[in-house]
Amino acid sequence: MAELVYDKDGRLLFTKEMKKEYTILFPMMASIHFNIIKNIFARFGYKVELLETDGPEIAQVGLKYVHNDTCYPAILTIGQLIHAVQSGKYDVNKIALLLTQTGGGCHASNYIHMLRKALVKAGYDKIPVISLNMSGMEKNPGFKISIPLLRRIAAAGLYGELILSLSNQVRPYEVNKGDTDALIDKWTKRLTIILSEGHGFKRTELAKYLDRIAEDFANIEIKRVPKIKVGVVGEIYVKYAALGNNNLERFLREQDCEINLPGILGFAMFKVDNRMEDYKLYGGSRAKYLVVKKLMDFLTDYETLLINSQEKFGFRPITRYSHTKELVKGVVGYGSKMGEGWLLTGEMLELVECGFENIVCTQPFGCLPNHINGKGMIRKIKEKDERANIVAIDYDPGAPRVNQENRIKLMLAVAKERLDKEKEEFGTV
């Protein structure tokens, strides 16, 4: 068994010996992206398992070890990890827990510390906790994001963006049910092999494989019929994680809707852009600004590759980040950047603009920035574009699922009335 090693502050480290023996548990969020990334970690010698457990017991475990005033994503992610530790499925002497750490002015920066406190309280203080961050906040000898690994993770994220977008555009109209999911599975496996063998992350290769993925999805047999189009926005975890939003995507598909889920790339660009806005608003190091600008240029190039492949094969492209940023001018300031900040407002405006005026705004309990930029901006958005049909849904441990779904159904009822009216006007009844 690996020897336990602590740093000078008493933090239990994840050592090189642990990398060989330990299984790293990580909460699921965006399933398409995360499954590709998980497989890449495996190719780099890490044993990573994504937790896909659900059910009300997850939140109850979280509430046992996390204060109920803490944001809902913290309660769920920590609850899911502790639940896994207590499940009996794993050797508690050979597991580590991994969480992302943003370093910004958000509860998400403190999840790591909350998790460690929860482990002590639950009697598992000998389980190491790994911080996945790009800010150099916490380091571990046995867990390092090397440049080769980072390049593959970035590429995997871009492929995940395309597959997410195309699957949502194709699945509602597929003639042979299951074709879309089969293609997702095919490309998840194929991309794992391609990236692990040292291919698929250079620019020319990215363009080639993005085109191949788009071409594959374009070849799925579909039948276009009028459907209610629904956009989903909100705090990043609750927006993407089925555990966090009570399987919202599945529910909307059951209601025969086409879903538009703005991707993670826009959020990444928003976070990088915030550093540039800080420099413009408050000053600072010009050298740091130029480094951040290079990163922004890199992400913008990724965005262009993604849009090119979507347009080439007849799909609706994602909205450019620069355009989304323009949409919020006069609505909310760029200084509103905690959590999803002004981007949340911008995504609602972009969805309305591209025909997804029916919107579910996922509001996690305890996330003040989300409430301000989400629910707090609905009236302003409707003043700017009267087509907006937005429902804000609160997600917390005490919110009954049936109440959430009934409120969404009321929004969909309005959407159906509008769709029926359009059918009559254009003679498509």
Side-chain angles (χ1 to χ4, degrees), residues 13-194:
L13 300 175
F14 183 80
T15 63
K16 292 178 181 178
E17 290 72 24
M18 289 176 177
K19 179 181 177 180
K20 302 172 187 175
E21 303 176 6
Y22 279 47
T23 298
I24 301 171
L25 307 183
F26 187 53
M28 173 64 82
M29 190 179 77
S31 62
I32 295 173
H33 302 64
F34 278 30
N35 273 304
I36 301 172
I37 292 170
K38 176 199 73 173
N39 294 340
I40 292 170
F41 272 113
R43 294 284 180 160
F44 274 75
Y46 298 97
K47 301 174 185 176
V48 177
E49 184 168 331
L50 284 170
L51 300 177
E52 300 188 58
T53 47
D54 59 9
E57 65 274 13
I58 300 293
Q60 294 309 309
V61 172
L63 286 170
K64 186 175 180 181
Y65 298 105
V66 180
H67 197 282
N68 66 352
D69 276 350
T70 304
C71 62
Y72 189 45
I75 293 170
L76 286 182
T77 53
I78 294 172
Q80 190 176 41
L81 288 165
I82 300 292
H83 180 267
V85 171
Q86 295 177 335
S87 68
K89 182 180 176 181
Y90 308 98
D91 180 350
V92 296
N93 295 309
K94 289 189 177 181
I95 58 172
L97 310 182
L98 185 146
L99 271 179
T100 54
Q101 193 174 18
T102 61
C106 173
H107 281 146
S109 297
N110 299 310
Y111 288 6
I112 293 285
H113 309 294
M114 294 179 194
L115 176 58
R116 289 196 179 104
K117 285 182 68 176
L119 287 171
V120 171
K121 187 176 180 181
Y124 299 103
D125 58 312
K126 301 296 189 261
I127 296 177
V129 176
I130 303 168
S131 167
L132 179 59
N133 70 82
M134 300 299 168
S135 305
M137 287 181 289
E138 288 191 2
K139 298 179 180 179
N140 289 277
F143 187 87
K144 294 182 179 179
I145 304 295
S146 62
I147 296 299
L149 176 57
L150 184 59
R151 292 183 70 184
R152 286 162 177 79
I153 290 174
L158 187 63
Y159 292 129
E161 292 288 279
L162 182 65
I163 294 170
L164 173 68
S165 176
L166 301 190
S167 62
N168 280 333
Q169 293 184 55
V170 171
R171 188 186 282 109
Y173 308 102
E174 61 184 7
V175 172
N176 303 305
K177 296 300 178 185
D179 279 357
T180 302
D181 290 333
L183 207 51
I184 292 172
D185 185 57
K186 167 192 167 181
W187 275 106
T188 298
K189 292 175 181 175
R190 190 173 178 189
L191 289 168
T192 298
I193 296 170
I194 291 167

Side-chain angles (χ1 to χ4, degrees), residues 306-324:
L306 186 59
I307 291 171
N308 288 346
S309 292
Q310 290 172 313
E311 290 180 335
K312 188 182 296 184
F313 292 93
F315 290 101
R316 181 188 66 253
I318 62 168
T319 302
R320 284 194 177 274
Y321 172 81
S322 58
H323 180 66
T324 304

Side-chain angles (χ1 to χ4, degrees), residues 128-320:
V129 176
I130 303 168
S131 167
L132 179 59
N133 70 82
M134 300 299 168
S135 305
M137 287 181 289
E138 288 191 2
K139 298 179 180 179
N140 289 277
F143 187 87
K144 294 182 179 179
I145 304 295
S146 62
I147 296 299
L149 176 57
L150 184 59
R151 292 183 70 184
R152 286 162 177 79
I153 290 174
L158 187 63
Y159 292 129
E161 292 288 279
L162 182 65
I163 294 170
L164 173 68
S165 176
L166 301 190
S167 62
N168 280 333
Q169 293 184 55
V170 171
R171 188 186 282 109
Y173 308 102
E174 61 184 7
V175 172
N176 303 305
K177 296 300 178 185
D179 279 357
T180 302
D181 290 333
L183 207 51
I184 292 172
D185 185 57
K186 167 192 167 181
W187 275 106
T188 298
K189 292 175 181 175
R190 190 173 178 189
L191 289 168
T192 298
I193 296 170
I194 291 167
L195 290 167
S196 300
E197 290 179 346
H199 305 292
F201 56 84
K202 296 176 182 177
R203 194 184 190 283
T204 53
E205 294 175 321
L206 278 167
K208 178 178 73 173
Y209 287 114
L210 287 170
D211 280 357
R212 288 184 181 178
I213 293 168
E215 185 176 17
D216 256 10
F217 275 92
N219 287 330
I220 291 178
E221 186 180 359
I222 62 172
K223 182 180 180 182
R224 293 280 177 189
V225 294
K227 289 183 183 287
I228 295 171
K229 296 185 175 184
V230 179
V232 178
V233 299
E235 185 274 335
I236 190 167
Y237 178 81
V238 174
K239 175 181 174 182
Y240 293 108
L243 176 62
N245 60 37
N246 286 330
N247 277 293
L248 176 60
E249 286 183 71
R250 185 176 68 190
F251 171 74
L252 290 172
R253 287 198 291 268
E254 289 170 352
Q255 304 306 305
D256 200 27
C257 300
E258 179 184 347
I259 305 166
N260 188 340
L261 195 63
I264 297 174
L265 178 60
F267 179 77
M269 295 177 78
F270 166 73
K271 287 300 181 185
V272 173
D273 189 29
N274 283 339
R275 302 292 182 93
M276 296 166 66
E277 286 296 329
D278 283 348
Y279 177 81
K280 295 172 186 176
L281 290 169
Y282 313 116
S285 169
R286 178 70 178 170
K288 286 183 179 178
Y289 171 82
L290 293 174
V291 170
V292 172
K293 188 178 183 304
K294 279 190 173 294
L295 179 56
M296 191 66 178
D297 292 341
F298 172 80
L299 293 176
T300 302
D301 186 48
Y302 261 31
E303 181 185 60
T304 299
L305 289 172
L306 186 59
I307 291 171
N308 288 346
S309 292
Q310 290 172 313
E311 290 180 335
K312 188 182 296 184
F313 292 93
F315 290 101
R316 181 188 66 253
I318 62 168
T319 302
R320 284 194 177 274

Side-chain angles (χ1 to χ4, degrees), residues 295-422:
L295 179 56
M296 191 66 178
D297 292 341
F298 172 80
L299 293 176
T300 302
D301 186 48
Y302 261 31
E303 181 185 60
T304 299
L305 289 172
L306 186 59
I307 291 171
N308 288 346
S309 292
Q310 290 172 313
E311 290 180 335
K312 188 182 296 184
F313 292 93
F315 290 101
R316 181 188 66 253
I318 62 168
T319 302
R320 284 194 177 274
Y321 172 81
S322 58
H323 180 66
T324 304
K325 189 174 181 179
E326 280 292 316
L327 289 175
V328 301
K329 279 188 176 179
V331 181
V332 61
Y334 298 143
S336 179
K337 63 187 183 67
M338 294 299 109
E340 283 60 42
W342 64 257
L343 181 66
L344 176 51
T345 309
E347 285 184 340
M348 288 193 280
L349 288 166
E350 79 174 54
L351 285 167
V352 175
E353 185 181 66
C354 68
F356 286 79
E357 64 268 19
N358 311 297
I359 298 170
V360 180
C361 182
T362 58
Q363 305 269 161
F365 174 75
C367 183
L368 185 58
N370 188 275
H371 284 271
I372 292 170
N373 292 285
K375 184 186 293 182
M377 298 307 298
I378 291 176
R379 187 177 71 176
K380 190 76 173 177
I381 292 169
K382 287 183 176 180
E383 288 174 357
K384 189 168 183 178
D385 196 323
E386 61 183 13
R387 294 176 299 165
N389 176 29
I390 306 170
V391 60
I393 303 297
D394 294 326
Y395 290 91
D396 66 71
R401 179 173 182 162
V402 66
N403 288 359
Q404 295 167 340
E405 293 181 350
N406 283 340
R407 294 196 64 225
I408 295 171
K409 285 180 179 179
L410 287 173
M411 181 273 287
L412 294 176
V414 174
K416 188 177 185 305
E417 285 180 14
R418 292 181 179 179
L419 183 63
D420 290 342
K421 187 176 179 181
E422 287 176 11

